[in-house]
Amino acid sequence: MKTCLAVDIGGTKIAAALIQSGQILKLKQLATPSSDNPDELTRALRELVTPLYEQADYLAVASTGIIDEGILTALNPNNLGGLNQYPIAEVFEHLCHRPVMVINDAQAAAWAEYQLLDSMPSSMGFITVSTGVGAGFVINEELVTGLHGIAGHAGHTLADPNGPMCGCGRQGCVESIASGTAIGKAGQLYFGDECTGEMVFTQYLDGDSHAKDIVENAAKTIANLVADLKISLDLQVICLGGSVGLAPKFLSLVQHYLKQLPPAYQIEVIHAHSGANAGLIGVASWAEHFFQQTDL
Ligand code: ADP
Ligand code: BMX
Ligand code: ZN
């Protein structure tokens, strides 16, 4: 039985796990460095994988950013402390001397969640509301990665043409309003310069009215994204993940705003079954599929 070392690189945290037949055997996690120096990220990745890689046959990496030909290009470099154009596949090959496969984190999570659905629909979407807002799609039972790895970057579709400037360079993207980063930024006006998305949620759950406005605005924005995706792709179900997507009450708020739209926009929205581990489980499963064909 082959063992996979799966790594999930997000804008806030990096997790690594040894996985066999979809089961996590060992899990380690650390904070994503907030530096535009690529050596800082490489150092963090080395620290994470060194105690694990010798037990692995291959590596499966899910990362925030556009993954094309093994290079990570940030669509929103702010999510990675300004880091861009990082040779992610080469770095892992160098660190672990094992075959490496890399895809986008939300694409990986979509693949994990698709396989866990009871009804096995032909088309589904996954949305992560986390440091950024990412998405992944399975259409006609196939994970859509896109010719250049860009497919799924629905966090950068338009939510408000007069909204905040997004780190990708476009004004009013969904991510600039509804991501954990955007929620934290909106909260800084009321809760201080160090305010994070998580702190706004704590205030929200305590009944603060400013936090309520911010969280509701984010949920309404995600509900509209859900509606746009349903009407564009005729999806059958959408899974919501990421620490904001999984935060208490957020899913029910999204469902509440979605219900106010006409019937054609309605779709079942559920929590990611594999929770925070969706990226790890999904990329391990995707790599198993990939490496089986290459007779590893
Ligand atoms: P990553 O983007 O690295 O995958 P997360 O999914 O944890 O990481 O998303 C990080 C964002 O979620 C940050 O903006 C953080 O403030 C926010 N966050 C973390 N924990 C919570 C929580 N319990 N409730 C709401 N927001 C949270
Ligand atoms: C951003 C983008 C996506 C990513 C999404 C969620 C970058 C660096 N990332 O829209 O590729 O899937 O964030 O990422 O441009 P996370 O860090 O919030 O998990
Ligand atoms: Zn954007």
Side-chain angles (χ1 to χ4, degrees):
M1 192 186 301
K2 302 277 187 212
T3 304
C4 169
L5 173 53
V7 183
D8 185 358
I9 305 172
T12 300
K13 59 185 196 298
I14 310 176
L18 284 169
I19 300 185
Q20 250 178 17
S21 307
Q23 299 301 313
I24 295 186
L25 309 178
K26 255 187 208 169
L27 179 70
K28 264 176 76 78
Q29 190 172 303
L30 46 75
T32 310
S34 55
S35 163
D36 63 359
N37 181 348
D39 295 344
E40 290 292 314
L41 180 58
T42 306
R43 216 187 324 274
L45 296 176
R46 182 183 293 114
E47 182 186 332
L48 199 62
V49 299
T50 300
L52 300 173
Y53 82 85
E54 280 177 359
Q55 295 163 66
D57 296 292
Y58 56 85
L59 267 86
V61 181
S63 177
T64 187
I66 296 163
I67 310 299
D68 189 19
E69 312 258 337
I71 309 283
L72 185 176
T73 305
L75 182 56
N76 182 354
N78 292 350
N79 292 4
L80 279 168
L83 180 70
N84 211 344
Q85 301 286 337
Y86 182 77
I88 191 163
E90 198 184 297
V91 166
F92 278 108
E93 274 154 14
H94 197 76
L95 289 175
C96 305
H97 315 286
R98 301 283 190 281
V100 177
M101 207 227 61
V102 194
I103 56 172
N104 169 268
D105 57 352
Q107 293 171 353
W111 186 241
E113 293 302 314
Y114 178 68
Q115 287 165 319
L116 290 170
L117 292 172
D118 292 335
S119 53
M120 283 307 270
S122 64
S123 301
M124 64 82 77
F126 170 86
I127 299 175
T128 174
V129 188
S130 35
T131 310
V133 175
F137 303 106
V138 175
I139 306 286
N140 296 330
E141 302 176 18
E142 298 280 349
L143 177 68
V144 184
T145 53
L147 193 59
H148 304 292
I150 300 175
H153 280 78
H156 301 275
T157 54
L158 190 68
D160 177 0
N162 302 310
M165 190 52 108
C166 181
C168 75
R170 185 183 191 192
Q171 188 175 1
C173 293
V174 169
E175 181 162 304
S176 73
I177 295 168
S179 64
T181 310
I183 292 170
K185 219 177 205 173
Q188 286 172 8
L189 199 59
Y190 311 103
F191 311 118
D193 290 351
E194 302 301 312
C195 183
T196 62
E198 187 172 5
M199 291 175 194
V200 174
F201 269 85
T202 306
Q203 294 291 331
Y204 167 64
L205 296 173
D206 278 355
D208 181 273
S209 65
H210 296 300
K212 182 172 184 279
D213 289 347
I214 297 168
V215 170
E216 287 182 355
N217 191 36
K220 193 171 185 181
T221 302
I222 296 298
N224 277 302
L225 174 62
V226 164
D228 288 349
L229 296 176
K230 158 72 195 305
I231 207 76
S232 305
L233 297 165
D234 199 2
L235 302 174
Q236 289 152 281
V237 59
I238 288 189
C239 294
L240 198 59
S243 289
V244 174
L246 296 168
K249 297 196 180 171
F250 194 75
L251 172 62
S252 46
L253 275 176
V254 171
Q255 289 165 332
H256 163 79
Y257 287 114
L258 185 63
K259 269 196 205 114
Q260 297 174 9
L261 299 178
Y265 298 96
Q266 298 304 319
I267 179 169
E268 188 185 7
V269 187
I270 59 174
H271 268 151
H273 280 103
S274 27
N277 294 328
L280 289 170
I281 306 262
V283 79
S285 151
W286 184 246
E288 190 179 327
H289 180 77
F290 179 85
F291 285 125
Q292 256 165 14
Q293 288 162 5
T294 59
D295 194 24
L296 180 75

